[in-house]
Amino acid sequence: MSYTEEEARRLVVDAGIRLVKEGLTARTWGNISARISDSEFIITPSGMAYESLGPGDLVRCRIEDCSYEGEIKPSSEKWIHADAYRLRSDVDFIIHTHQPCASAVSVRGHAVTVNVRGAEELLGSFVPCAGYGISSTKKLRHEVEQVVKKYPRHSVFLMRSHGTFV
């Protein structure tokens, strides 16, 4: 189930505002996207604060090649989102943040066992961790792609020394 473009734009903007209010992201770190068809998704732009984003600031990208139209540049992590949509037809919304706690835990580079009552239902018995890659690089893209392929039933991942990908 993908979203209509209008609905996707509203949901992405709302999610950004909520992430800031909840203290799960800072400044322009992280990115949010929503699938609008089998071939396209909407994603937050590069370098714009969530608090000031409007629906028209979001960028429509093609899943196949991350091409886009217009002058607003999409997030530099667009390829990670595109890969997840390509690999997982069941995924319609993605949030990548650099939240402090998850980023700290991700430094270990290991999966995290989930042993909090109620959390296992949402997260599974563990949260896998992708290998390290510098932000916006092919290495990071490859590492995330590999962990998504390896754990097709998981929807929450750590990115080593980088944050989360949900």
Side-chain angles (χ1 to χ4, degrees), residues 45-113:
S46 180
M48 291 180 79
Y50 294 140
E51 303 96 299
S52 60
L53 277 183
D57 296 319
L58 304 178
V59 184
R60 183 174 21 169
C61 290
R62 292 192 45 77
I63 292 171
E64 179 183 326
D65 60 5
C66 286
S67 61
Y68 63 96
E69 294 179 8
E71 295 182 26
I72 299 175
K73 287 175 50 176
S75 167
S76 61
E77 303 285 14
K78 62 190 172 290
W79 283 104
I80 294 173
H81 293 252
D83 288 342
Y85 291 129
R86 181 178 47 79
L87 293 168
R88 299 272 305 269
S89 62
D90 61 316
V91 171
D92 291 317
F93 201 88
I94 296 171
I95 298 174
H96 163 52
T97 68
H98 299 224
Q99 53 184 282
C101 292
S103 295
V105 170
S106 74
V107 171
R108 292 182 54 236
H110 300 289
V112 174
T113 302

Side-chain angles (χ1 to χ4, degrees), residues 111-159:
V112 174
T113 302
V114 177
N115 57 9
V116 175
R117 187 184 320 188
E120 189 171 322
E121 186 176 310
L122 180 63
L123 302 173
S125 60
F126 68 97
V127 176
C129 187
Y132 179 72
I134 294 172
S135 216
S136 307
T137 62
K138 288 181 183 177
K139 170 78 170 145
L140 178 62
R141 177 184 177 193
H142 173 76
E143 294 295 337
V144 173
E145 179 182 37
Q146 294 308 305
V147 77
V148 170
K149 282 181 180 177
K150 186 174 180 178
Y151 300 102
R153 296 178 192 256
H154 284 259
S155 58
V156 178
F157 302 91
L158 292 173
M159 300 163 73

Side-chain angles (χ1 to χ4, degrees), residues 20-33:
V20 171
K21 284 182 180 177
E22 298 288 332
L24 297 174
T25 193
R27 301 189 316 218
T28 63
W29 296 354
N31 30 75
I32 306 165
S33 70

